[in-house]
């Protein structure tokens, strides 16, 4: 759910921005930017944290979300304060660079407009039928969450037991790792639907280490900071919980008493 913006915030000026999307949720922002955006595409939307905005940015292979706060007098984005919406907007004209915990810089180049013209055409329905009263199994129902993240982790090799610095990309239920950020082809793609467990690890003598256990191998990684490790683990754990959730057995079983217990929201601290 999108948050409620503080009444003290100059809403009329914010809503006048062509790249502010007033009804957009985090999920829609991720889906839209992953599908249509490119490295440096960004948009402004309400945050899930009440009284804040969020800047969603398409990086190379993932979408990052940064808070934009309002203290009653000034906006704060990153380490810079802006007294007016005009100052805030001018900042983006100068193509600012942003980076999170990974330290990888992204230039904010392309604002994603809230109004995009599309060719107006509709298909005609030629066949329309019902399957009858037979129950439909939802065991193989798709998971619509995107939940993307990218960044560097150091990974323990499989055959040669040395640690290698790799670029990781997590989108939907696939965790890919590459030799370098610029590499086009991944070294390996891990299907999280096959993952048994994620946990911290102290057996490899590395701080900030965690592991992913599969039936055929256990992968070990360590992050550059505790917050970065926590972010990777929180997001992967959330995806694993969704994959393990009991599926709905009937189309009409979406009530609170019969629905899956896994949340469809993103981790609150992510």
């Amino acid at each position: 759910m999108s948050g409620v913006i503080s009444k003290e915030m100059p809403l009329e000026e914010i809503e006048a921005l062509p790249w502010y999307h007033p009804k957009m949720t985090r999920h829609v922002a991720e889906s839209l930017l992953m599908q249509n955006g490119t490295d440096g595409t960004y948009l402004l939307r309400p945050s899930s944290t009440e009284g804040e905005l969020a800047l969603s940015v398409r990086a190379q292979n993932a979408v990052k979300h940064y808070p934009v706060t309002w203290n009653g007098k000034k906006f704060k984005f990153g380490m810079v304060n802006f007294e007016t919406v005009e100052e805030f907007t001018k900042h983006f004209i100068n193509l600012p660079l942003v980076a999170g915990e990974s330290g990888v810089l992204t230039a904010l180049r392309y604002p994603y407009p809230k109004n995009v013209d599309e060719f107006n055409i509709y298909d005609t329905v030629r066949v329309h039928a019902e399957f009858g009263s037979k129950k439909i199994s939802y065991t193989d129902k798709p998971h619509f969450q995107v939940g993307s993240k990218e960044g560097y982790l150091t990974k323990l090799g499989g055959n040669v037991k040395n640690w290698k610095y790799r670029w990781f990309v997590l989108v939907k239920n696939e965790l890919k790792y590459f030799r370098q950020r610029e590499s086009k082809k991944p070294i390996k793609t891990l299907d999280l639907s096959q993952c048994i467990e994620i946990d911290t690890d102290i057996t490899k003598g590395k701080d900030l280490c965690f592991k992913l256990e599969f039936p055929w191998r256990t992968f070990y990684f360590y992050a550059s900071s505790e917050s970065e490790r926590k972010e990777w683990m929180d997001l992967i754990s959330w995806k694993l919980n969704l994959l393990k959730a009991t599926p709905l057995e009937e189309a009409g079983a979406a009530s609170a008493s019969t629905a899956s217990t896994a949340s469809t929201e993103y981790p609150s601290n992510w």
Side-chain angles (χ1 to χ4, degrees):
M1 292 284 293
S2 296
V4 178
I5 299 174
S6 170
K7 293 182 179 179
E8 298 178 1
M9 191 179 292
L11 284 181
E12 289 187 7
E13 296 178 65
I14 290 291
E15 291 175 350
L17 294 176
W19 42 279
Y20 174 66
H21 299 247
K23 303 295 184 181
M24 185 168 288
T25 62
R26 185 185 190 117
H27 169 69
V28 175
E30 290 233 3
S31 301
L32 189 69
L33 291 173
M34 288 299 294
Q35 178 69 29
N36 295 341
T38 186
D39 193 357
T41 306
Y42 62 91
L43 58 84
L44 190 66
R45 61 178 178 83
S47 171
S48 56
T49 302
E50 186 171 345
E52 293 185 3
L53 301 171
L55 189 79
S56 298
V57 181
R58 168 69 188 269
Q60 182 169 298
N61 293 299
V63 176
K64 301 179 184 295
H65 306 272
Y66 301 98
V68 179
T69 60
W70 168 257
N71 65 6
K73 294 182 180 180
K74 296 179 181 180
F75 291 97
K76 184 175 183 181
F77 172 59
M79 292 170 282
V80 184
N81 292 313
F82 305 93
E83 294 189 358
T84 65
V85 174
E86 183 179 5
E87 285 184 10
F88 180 66
T89 306
K90 286 182 178 178
H91 177 66
F92 287 86
I93 295 175
N94 295 324
L95 305 180
L97 297 168
V98 294
E101 287 288 337
S102 67
V104 179
L105 294 170
T106 300
L108 304 183
R109 299 177 183 275
Y110 314 110
Y112 198 109
K114 60 183 153 190
N115 296 317
V116 178
D117 290 333
E118 294 284 359
F119 185 64
N120 189 16
I121 188 171
Y122 295 89
D123 282 342
T124 301
V125 176
R126 298 298 186 189
V127 177
H128 188 180
E130 294 183 0
F131 285 103
S133 59
K134 182 179 179 180
K135 291 184 178 181
I136 300 173
S137 173
Y138 280 76
T139 302
D140 299 322
K141 69 183 179 72
H143 292 274
F144 298 104
Q145 293 80 6
V146 180
S148 62
K149 179 173 172 58
E150 63 179 7
Y152 284 106
L153 291 169
T154 304
K155 173 191 156 297
L156 183 63
N159 297 323
V160 181
K161 299 299 182 182
N162 57 358
W163 293 92
K164 295 182 179 179
Y165 197 52
R166 298 300 189 211
W167 179 254
F168 284 78
V169 176
L170 175 60
V171 177
K172 292 193 173 181
N173 298 325
E174 291 187 340
L175 178 64
K176 300 180 181 181
Y177 58 91
F178 302 76
R179 293 189 186 279
Q180 300 173 349
R181 184 173 185 261
E182 297 77 18
S183 300
K184 301 298 183 184
K185 185 177 180 180
I187 298 172
K188 186 179 284 292
T189 299
L190 302 179
D191 182 354
L192 293 181
S193 67
Q194 300 174 8
C195 183
I196 300 170
E197 183 183 32
I198 180 173
D199 200 359
T200 57
D201 182 82
I202 59 173
T203 67
K204 300 302 177 184
K206 295 290 185 180
D207 294 333
L208 309 176
C209 189
F210 67 97
K211 64 183 179 181
L212 288 178
E213 183 181 346
F214 289 81
W216 44 277
R217 177 179 165 186
T218 299
F219 291 82
Y220 296 89
F221 320 86
Y222 69 84
S224 59
S225 68
E226 178 57 45
S227 60
E228 187 72 356
R229 177 173 72 167
K230 185 177 186 303
E231 193 168 300
W232 279 107
M233 290 190 67
D234 283 353
L235 182 55
I236 293 173
S237 296
W238 173 73
K239 288 175 179 286
L240 295 182
N241 287 335
L242 284 177
L243 289 168
K244 294 174 183 177
T246 303
L248 299 180
E249 292 301 324
E250 300 181 39
S255 65
S257 60
T258 57
S260 162
T261 58
S263 171
T264 56
E265 298 290 338
Y266 287 91
S268 60
N269 60 346
W270 178 69

